Amino acid sequence: MVLNHHASTMADLSQICAYAKAGKQTATPESVDKKTVAPHGVIENHLWRVKRMDQLAEKTYLSLNHLVDLKHKHASILEASSARKQAENTLLQAQNTSRQADYAARQAASTAEQTTASVKQATATAQQGKTILMFTVVTIIFLPLSFMAAFFAIAIDSFPVNEKGKLAMSYVLKYMLSVSGAACIPFILVAFQQDRIIVLLTWVRENISDGFSGDLRMRRPRKYSNSSSATVNTDDSRYSRH
């Protein structure tokens, strides 16, 4: 702005100087052609530099805006890429979670199947145990009867036989049922109360072992005291002899 004002002032001054040199007293300074006035070189040079600086500043401004725009676009691309990677990672994690859930469901199903099989096996084992218990009871009942029947089948002279050489039914049943009942009833009770009998035997064994260990603890100090007193007595006797 200042240089333009100086340039216009110098142009007017140049017109006045040109008018004075022409010697035209009747003419006015406006009648002089401005094209014939030589421009001032220094001011024009400064004006050209200022215009060049304005152009460079505008170009730099546009370049900076373009660079900032490119930076923003690059940052947007990077954010989109990171968001895509995060989405892929989230998808992979979701897939892994679904696989783990499927594996856990399969394990739960297999565990349920194993539990069902274990329950069935336990039921079958219980049925087998009941069957074995039934056969055991039958064996306990009929084994003494078989023994007594075989015993009475032996030809012994002391048996009271009749005229036909056979034993009476009342005599055989009396001894067979009494001996078989006396032998069967305790074993049947043991078969049905096996758990309680095992607990009772364990308790008795522990009490016996505790009592035996307590007796040993009580006896050991006595032995030591007797031996120590004996050694003291022997030492006293030795000293008395000397």
Side-chain angles (χ1 to χ4, degrees):
M1 186 70 184
V2 175
L3 292 176
N4 290 326
H5 181 68
H6 287 174
S8 63
T9 304
M10 291 300 296
D12 293 336
L13 182 60
S14 297
Q15 288 179 2
I16 293 170
C17 291
Y19 175 74
K21 288 180 181 180
K24 296 179 180 180
Q25 297 179 357
T26 57
T28 59
E30 288 78 4
S31 62
V32 180
D33 190 4
K34 292 182 179 181
K35 294 181 179 180
T36 60
V37 179
H40 197 272
V42 177
I43 295 174
E44 292 295 333
N45 189 12
H46 285 299
L47 287 173
W48 179 81
R49 288 183 179 181
V50 169
K51 289 180 181 179
R52 182 64 178 170
M53 289 173 65
D54 289 336
Q55 292 177 358
L56 291 174
E58 186 177 1
K59 186 177 180 180
T60 304
Y61 176 74
L62 294 175
S63 299
L64 288 174
N65 286 331
H66 184 65
L67 180 62
V68 170
D69 189 14
L70 291 176
K71 290 288 185 180
H72 283 297
K73 290 180 180 179
H74 183 66
S76 300
I77 292 171
L78 291 177
E79 289 179 357
S81 178
S82 63
R84 182 177 61 82
K85 290 181 180 180
Q86 288 180 358
E88 290 178 354
N89 293 327
T90 305
L91 180 61
L92 291 175
Q93 290 179 358
Q95 290 178 356
N96 292 328
T97 304
S98 63
R99 290 176 183 175
Q100 290 178 358
D102 293 336
Y103 182 71
R106 291 177 183 175
Q107 284 186 346
S110 63
T111 304
E113 291 178 357
Q114 290 178 359
T115 304
T116 305
S118 300
V119 171
K120 291 180 180 179
Q121 187 175 2
T123 305
T125 304
Q127 292 178 356
Q128 290 178 0
K130 291 179 180 179
T131 304
I132 293 171
L133 181 61
M134 183 181 67
F135 281 111
T136 303
V137 172
V138 172
T139 304
I140 290 171
I141 292 171
F142 284 97
L143 184 62
L145 293 175
S146 300
F147 174 75
M148 294 303 296
F151 180 75
F152 283 117
I154 300 172
I156 299 175
D157 296 335
S158 60
F159 285 159
V161 296
N162 54 12
E163 296 176 354
K164 295 180 180 180
K166 295 182 179 180
L167 295 172
M169 181 62 70
S170 60
Y171 180 79
V172 173
L173 290 177
K174 179 177 66 175
Y175 287 100
M176 185 178 288
L177 294 177
S178 60
V179 174
S180 298
C184 292
I185 291 172
F187 287 105
I188 291 172
L189 292 175
V190 170
F192 282 103
Q193 301 295 330
Q194 185 178 2
D195 296 334
R196 294 182 179 179
I197 292 172
I198 291 172
V199 172
L200 180 61
L201 292 176
T202 304
W203 179 76
V204 171
R205 185 180 63 185
E206 290 178 355
N207 288 329
I208 292 172
S209 62
D210 292 337
F212 183 71
S213 61
D215 292 336
L216 289 177
R217 291 175 183 175
M218 293 296 292
R219 289 176 183 176
R220 285 176 182 175
R222 292 179 182 178
K223 290 182 180 179
Y224 292 151
S225 62
N226 293 328
S227 61
S228 61
S229 62
T231 53
V232 170
N233 292 326
T234 53
D235 293 335
D236 293 337
S237 61
R238 288 177 184 176
Y239 287 124
S240 62
R241 288 177 184 177
H242 290 292

